[in-house]
Short mmCIF file of all heavy atoms in Angstrom, two decimals:
data_model
loop_
_atom_site.label_atom_id
_atom_site.label_comp_id
_atom_site.label_asym_id
_atom_site.label_seq_id
_atom_site.Cartn_x
_atom_site.Cartn_y
_atom_site.Cartn_z
N ARG A 343 -72.81 39.62 -48.31
CA ARG A 343 -74.06 39.05 -47.81
C ARG A 343 -75.01 40.16 -47.37
O ARG A 343 -74.60 41.14 -46.76
CB ARG A 343 -73.76 38.11 -46.64
CG ARG A 343 -73.14 36.79 -47.08
CD ARG A 343 -72.79 35.93 -45.89
NE ARG A 343 -71.51 36.34 -45.31
CZ ARG A 343 -71.00 35.84 -44.20
NH1 ARG A 343 -71.68 34.92 -43.52
NH2 ARG A 343 -69.83 36.25 -43.75
N THR A 344 -76.27 39.97 -47.69
CA THR A 344 -77.30 40.93 -47.32
C THR A 344 -77.86 40.61 -45.94
O THR A 344 -77.66 39.50 -45.42
CB THR A 344 -78.44 40.92 -48.36
OG1 THR A 344 -78.96 39.58 -48.47
CG2 THR A 344 -77.94 41.38 -49.72
N PRO A 345 -78.57 41.56 -45.32
CA PRO A 345 -79.13 41.31 -43.99
C PRO A 345 -80.14 40.16 -43.98
O PRO A 345 -80.81 39.89 -44.98
CB PRO A 345 -79.80 42.65 -43.65
CG PRO A 345 -79.11 43.65 -44.49
CD PRO A 345 -78.78 42.95 -45.76
N THR A 346 -80.21 39.48 -42.86
CA THR A 346 -81.20 38.43 -42.63
C THR A 346 -81.90 38.70 -41.31
O THR A 346 -81.59 39.67 -40.61
CB THR A 346 -80.52 37.05 -42.58
OG1 THR A 346 -79.65 37.00 -41.43
CG2 THR A 346 -79.69 36.79 -43.84
N ARG A 347 -82.84 37.84 -40.95
CA ARG A 347 -83.51 38.00 -39.65
C ARG A 347 -82.54 37.83 -38.49
O ARG A 347 -82.71 38.44 -37.42
CB ARG A 347 -84.64 36.98 -39.53
CG ARG A 347 -85.82 37.23 -40.47
CD ARG A 347 -86.92 36.21 -40.23
NE ARG A 347 -88.06 36.45 -41.12
CZ ARG A 347 -89.16 35.71 -41.13
NH1 ARG A 347 -89.27 34.68 -40.28
NH2 ARG A 347 -90.14 35.99 -41.97
N GLN A 348 -81.53 36.99 -38.68
CA GLN A 348 -80.55 36.76 -37.62
C GLN A 348 -79.40 37.77 -37.65
O GLN A 348 -78.72 37.96 -36.65
CB GLN A 348 -79.97 35.34 -37.74
CG GLN A 348 -80.95 34.21 -37.49
CD GLN A 348 -81.92 33.99 -38.64
OE1 GLN A 348 -81.58 34.24 -39.79
NE2 GLN A 348 -83.13 33.54 -38.33
N ARG A 349 -79.18 38.42 -38.80
CA ARG A 349 -78.05 39.34 -38.95
C ARG A 349 -78.54 40.62 -39.62
O ARG A 349 -78.80 40.64 -40.82
CB ARG A 349 -76.95 38.69 -39.79
CG ARG A 349 -75.68 39.52 -39.91
CD ARG A 349 -74.70 38.93 -40.90
NE ARG A 349 -75.22 38.94 -42.27
CZ ARG A 349 -75.58 37.88 -42.94
NH1 ARG A 349 -75.48 36.69 -42.39
NH2 ARG A 349 -76.05 37.96 -44.17
N ALA A 350 -78.65 41.66 -38.84
CA ALA A 350 -79.25 42.91 -39.35
C ALA A 350 -78.20 43.85 -39.93
O ALA A 350 -78.19 45.04 -39.65
CB ALA A 350 -80.01 43.61 -38.24
N HIS A 351 -77.30 43.31 -40.76
CA HIS A 351 -76.32 44.17 -41.41
C HIS A 351 -75.79 43.49 -42.67
O HIS A 351 -75.88 42.27 -42.84
CB HIS A 351 -75.16 44.51 -40.47
CG HIS A 351 -74.46 43.31 -39.91
ND1 HIS A 351 -74.85 42.69 -38.75
CD2 HIS A 351 -73.37 42.61 -40.35
CE1 HIS A 351 -74.06 41.67 -38.49
NE2 HIS A 351 -73.15 41.59 -39.46
N TYR A 352 -75.24 44.32 -43.57
CA TYR A 352 -74.55 43.81 -44.74
C TYR A 352 -73.14 43.37 -44.32
O TYR A 352 -72.56 43.93 -43.41
CB TYR A 352 -74.40 44.89 -45.80
CG TYR A 352 -75.68 45.42 -46.38
CD1 TYR A 352 -76.27 46.58 -45.88
CD2 TYR A 352 -76.29 44.79 -47.46
CE1 TYR A 352 -77.45 47.09 -46.42
CE2 TYR A 352 -77.47 45.29 -48.02
CZ TYR A 352 -78.03 46.44 -47.49
OH TYR A 352 -79.19 46.93 -48.03
N ILE A 353 -72.60 42.39 -45.03
CA ILE A 353 -71.21 42.01 -44.87
C ILE A 353 -70.53 42.20 -46.21
O ILE A 353 -70.81 41.48 -47.18
CB ILE A 353 -71.03 40.57 -44.38
CG1 ILE A 353 -71.65 40.41 -42.99
CG2 ILE A 353 -69.55 40.18 -44.37
CD1 ILE A 353 -71.52 39.01 -42.42
N LEU A 354 -69.67 43.20 -46.30
CA LEU A 354 -68.93 43.48 -47.53
C LEU A 354 -67.70 42.59 -47.52
O LEU A 354 -66.73 42.85 -46.81
CB LEU A 354 -68.55 44.97 -47.57
CG LEU A 354 -68.22 45.60 -48.92
CD1 LEU A 354 -68.01 47.10 -48.76
CD2 LEU A 354 -67.00 44.99 -49.58
N GLY A 355 -67.77 41.49 -48.32
CA GLY A 355 -66.73 40.48 -48.26
C GLY A 355 -65.72 40.53 -49.37
O GLY A 355 -64.62 39.97 -49.24
N SER A 356 -66.05 41.17 -50.51
CA SER A 356 -65.10 41.26 -51.61
C SER A 356 -65.47 42.43 -52.49
O SER A 356 -66.58 42.97 -52.41
CB SER A 356 -65.08 39.96 -52.44
OG SER A 356 -66.34 39.73 -53.04
N CYS A 357 -64.55 42.82 -53.35
CA CYS A 357 -64.82 43.93 -54.27
C CYS A 357 -64.02 43.73 -55.54
O CYS A 357 -63.07 42.94 -55.59
CB CYS A 357 -64.51 45.28 -53.63
SG CYS A 357 -62.77 45.52 -53.21
N PHE A 358 -64.43 44.43 -56.57
CA PHE A 358 -63.79 44.32 -57.88
C PHE A 358 -63.60 45.71 -58.43
O PHE A 358 -64.56 46.46 -58.61
CB PHE A 358 -64.67 43.49 -58.82
CG PHE A 358 -64.19 43.49 -60.25
CD1 PHE A 358 -63.17 42.65 -60.65
CD2 PHE A 358 -64.76 44.33 -61.19
CE1 PHE A 358 -62.73 42.65 -61.97
CE2 PHE A 358 -64.33 44.34 -62.50
CZ PHE A 358 -63.31 43.49 -62.89
N ASN A 359 -62.34 46.10 -58.69
CA ASN A 359 -62.04 47.41 -59.25
C ASN A 359 -62.19 47.37 -60.76
O ASN A 359 -61.62 46.50 -61.44
CB ASN A 359 -60.62 47.83 -58.88
CG ASN A 359 -60.30 49.22 -59.37
OD1 ASN A 359 -61.01 50.17 -59.09
ND2 ASN A 359 -59.22 49.34 -60.13
N CYS A 360 -62.94 48.30 -61.33
CA CYS A 360 -63.19 48.33 -62.77
C CYS A 360 -62.05 49.05 -63.48
O CYS A 360 -61.76 50.21 -63.19
CB CYS A 360 -64.52 49.03 -63.06
SG CYS A 360 -65.95 48.13 -62.46
N ALA A 361 -61.46 48.36 -64.44
CA ALA A 361 -60.36 48.94 -65.20
C ALA A 361 -60.83 49.55 -66.51
O ALA A 361 -60.24 50.52 -66.99
CB ALA A 361 -59.30 47.87 -65.49
N ALA A 362 -61.87 48.97 -67.12
CA ALA A 362 -62.35 49.43 -68.43
C ALA A 362 -63.36 50.56 -68.25
O ALA A 362 -64.57 50.34 -68.18
CB ALA A 362 -62.97 48.28 -69.21
N LEU A 363 -62.85 51.77 -68.14
CA LEU A 363 -63.71 52.94 -67.97
C LEU A 363 -63.64 53.80 -69.23
O LEU A 363 -62.56 53.99 -69.81
CB LEU A 363 -63.27 53.78 -66.76
CG LEU A 363 -63.33 53.08 -65.40
CD1 LEU A 363 -62.87 54.03 -64.31
CD2 LEU A 363 -64.73 52.57 -65.09
N SER A 364 -64.79 54.29 -69.64
CA SER A 364 -64.82 55.17 -70.82
C SER A 364 -64.45 56.60 -70.45
O SER A 364 -64.07 57.39 -71.32
CB SER A 364 -66.22 55.14 -71.45
OG SER A 364 -67.20 55.58 -70.53
N ARG A 365 -64.54 56.94 -69.17
CA ARG A 365 -64.17 58.28 -68.71
C ARG A 365 -63.67 58.18 -67.28
O ARG A 365 -64.26 57.51 -66.45
CB ARG A 365 -65.36 59.24 -68.78
CG ARG A 365 -65.01 60.68 -68.37
CD ARG A 365 -66.18 61.64 -68.61
NE ARG A 365 -67.29 61.41 -67.72
CZ ARG A 365 -68.44 60.87 -68.06
NH1 ARG A 365 -68.65 60.45 -69.30
NH2 ARG A 365 -69.42 60.69 -67.18
N ARG A 366 -62.55 58.84 -67.00
CA ARG A 366 -62.02 58.88 -65.64
C ARG A 366 -61.32 60.23 -65.46
O ARG A 366 -60.32 60.51 -66.10
CB ARG A 366 -61.02 57.75 -65.39
CG ARG A 366 -60.61 57.62 -63.92
CD ARG A 366 -59.33 56.83 -63.76
NE ARG A 366 -59.38 55.47 -64.23
CZ ARG A 366 -59.73 54.42 -63.50
NH1 ARG A 366 -60.11 54.61 -62.24
NH2 ARG A 366 -59.71 53.21 -64.02
N THR A 367 -61.87 61.07 -64.57
CA THR A 367 -61.28 62.37 -64.28
C THR A 367 -61.17 62.51 -62.76
O THR A 367 -61.41 61.56 -62.01
CB THR A 367 -62.14 63.51 -64.85
OG1 THR A 367 -63.36 63.62 -64.09
CG2 THR A 367 -62.47 63.28 -66.31
N SER A 368 -60.83 63.71 -62.31
CA SER A 368 -60.74 63.97 -60.87
C SER A 368 -62.11 64.14 -60.24
O SER A 368 -62.23 64.24 -59.02
CB SER A 368 -59.89 65.21 -60.60
OG SER A 368 -60.50 66.36 -61.19
N THR A 369 -63.17 64.18 -61.05
CA THR A 369 -64.52 64.39 -60.49
C THR A 369 -65.55 63.38 -60.99
O THR A 369 -66.62 63.29 -60.41
CB THR A 369 -65.04 65.80 -60.85
OG1 THR A 369 -65.04 65.98 -62.27
CG2 THR A 369 -64.17 66.88 -60.21
#
């Protein structure tokens, strides 16, 4: 959820890890 007038902060409620990467290294 993004900030509103009543709530001045983001709420990070879920996430999705990406498996299909064309490149993945240590950097």
Side-chain angles (χ1 to χ4, degrees):
R343 286 177 278 175
T344 56
T346 65
R347 292 183 179 180
Q348 294 75 30
R349 185 188 65 250
H351 56 271
Y352 297 95
I353 297 181
L354 201 174
S356 63
C357 64
F358 172 81
N359 183 55
C360 294
L363 299 180
S364 60
R365 183 174 69 253
R366 190 198 298 270
T367 71
S368 62
T369 58

